[in-house]
Amino acid sequence: MSGIAKTPQPPYYAVIFCSKRTEGDKGYGKMSEKMVELACQQKGFLGIESARDEGLGITVSYWDSLDAIKSWKEHSVHQVAQDRGKNEWYKNFALRVCKVERDNFYEM
Amino acid sequence: MSGIAKTPQPPYYAVIFCSKRTEGDKGYGKMSEKMVELACQQKGFLGIESARDEGLGITVSYWDSLDAIKSWKEHSVHQVAQDRGKNEWYKNFALRVCKVERDNFYEM
């Protein structure tokens, strides 16, 4: 999953999740892997891109509809992860729901 | 600039730039800093978020209009950087232009 997502022709939707972590792993790495695996299995999931350095983490997931984003948000296992995120893993985060209007891919 | 962007109430626009780098710096670090500095000075610029690890780099810039994104794309100094990006710095990349429809901020 570590790469550039192969998304279809726009329009489609993106969720940009940008976060600062607290110190220490506290089960974050394992849960993070599990969430990516589970997200991939959801109806309407199109792809995911993720990068993290000392300062910031950015994960962008792509979806075919706002309904698919809503269903993933409300998934019971994801809800548990969201609660632990707020209580243990994140100092702060921003989540943005977007409509992708156009895209452009380049390969050397 | 290393942090979560303080963007205004939606709607606004996001450019998601996801890339894989070639080996070695080749002037990338310096140009990258210069481009962030220059982007911040553009009309309609709202903020920027960036993270890079071994696999992938993701930079999301936020803008108040599609015109602002177009002007930044066509900025002469940015055009030089775009050409060097294709020729020297990136193995591949995806660029997506999106309309941010809603957002949600959390601070512990």
Side-chain angles (χ1 to χ4, degrees):
Chain A
M1 290 307 305
S2 75
I4 292 172
K6 288 175 181 61
T7 42
Q9 287 290 312
Y12 52 90
Y13 291 87
V15 178
I16 306 170
F17 181 74
C18 182
S19 65
K20 284 194 179 182
R21 285 284 321 280
T22 54
E23 302 296 313
D25 185 71
K26 291 172 287 192
Y28 172 79
K30 202 174 160 186
M31 182 67 100
S32 174
E33 274 178 33
K34 192 174 158 184
M35 282 308 105
V36 171
E37 225 171 86
L38 196 60
C40 295
Q41 297 164 19
Q42 301 310 301
K43 192 168 172 289
F45 174 86
L46 300 176
I48 192 164
E49 294 162 345
S50 205
R52 177 169 296 280
D53 55 36
E54 316 86 58
L56 217 60
I58 303 177
T59 296
V60 189
S61 59
Y62 300 101
W63 304 86
D64 70 1
S65 67
L66 291 173
D67 277 348
I69 292 171
K70 187 168 180 277
S71 296
W72 173 232
K73 186 189 174 186
E74 292 170 355
H75 190 294
S76 59
V77 181
H78 189 203
Q79 291 254 343
V80 172
Q82 289 171 55
D83 288 344
R84 288 195 65 188
K86 285 186 180 177
N87 294 326
E88 298 178 63
W89 297 322
Y90 299 120
K91 270 188 206 157
N92 47 40
F93 66 74
L95 189 145
R96 293 178 177 95
V97 177
C98 319
K99 185 176 192 179
V100 180
E101 301 195 340
R102 63 172 194 270
D103 56 18
N104 183 20
F105 294 84
Y106 170 82
E107 190 138 9
M108 199 191 241
Chain B
M1 289 310 301
S2 74
I4 292 172
K6 286 174 183 63
T7 41
Q9 287 291 313
Y12 52 91
Y13 291 86
V15 179
I16 306 170
F17 181 75
C18 182
S19 65
K20 284 194 181 184
R21 285 284 321 279
T22 54
E23 302 295 315
D25 184 70
K26 292 173 285 192
Y28 171 80
K30 203 174 158 184
M31 181 68 101
S32 173
E33 275 177 34
K34 193 175 157 183
M35 281 308 106
V36 171
E37 226 171 84
L38 196 59
C40 295
Q41 296 164 19
Q42 302 310 302
K43 194 169 169 288
F45 174 87
L46 300 175
I48 192 164
E49 294 163 344
S50 205
R52 177 170 294 281
D53 55 38
E54 315 85 61
L56 216 60
I58 303 177
T59 297
V60 189
S61 58
Y62 300 101
W63 304 86
D64 70 0
S65 68
L66 291 172
D67 278 347
I69 292 170
K70 189 167 178 279
S71 296
W72 173 231
K73 186 189 174 189
E74 292 170 356
H75 190 294
S76 58
V77 181
H78 189 203
Q79 291 254 343
V80 172
Q82 288 171 56
D83 288 345
R84 289 195 64 186
K86 284 185 179 174
N87 295 325
E88 299 177 62
W89 298 322
Y90 299 119
K91 270 189 204 157
N92 47 39
F93 65 75
L95 189 143
R96 293 177 175 96
V97 177
C98 319
K99 185 177 191 178
V100 180
E101 302 195 339
R102 63 172 194 269
D103 56 19
N104 183 19
F105 295 83
Y106 170 82
E107 187 138 13
M108 198 191 242

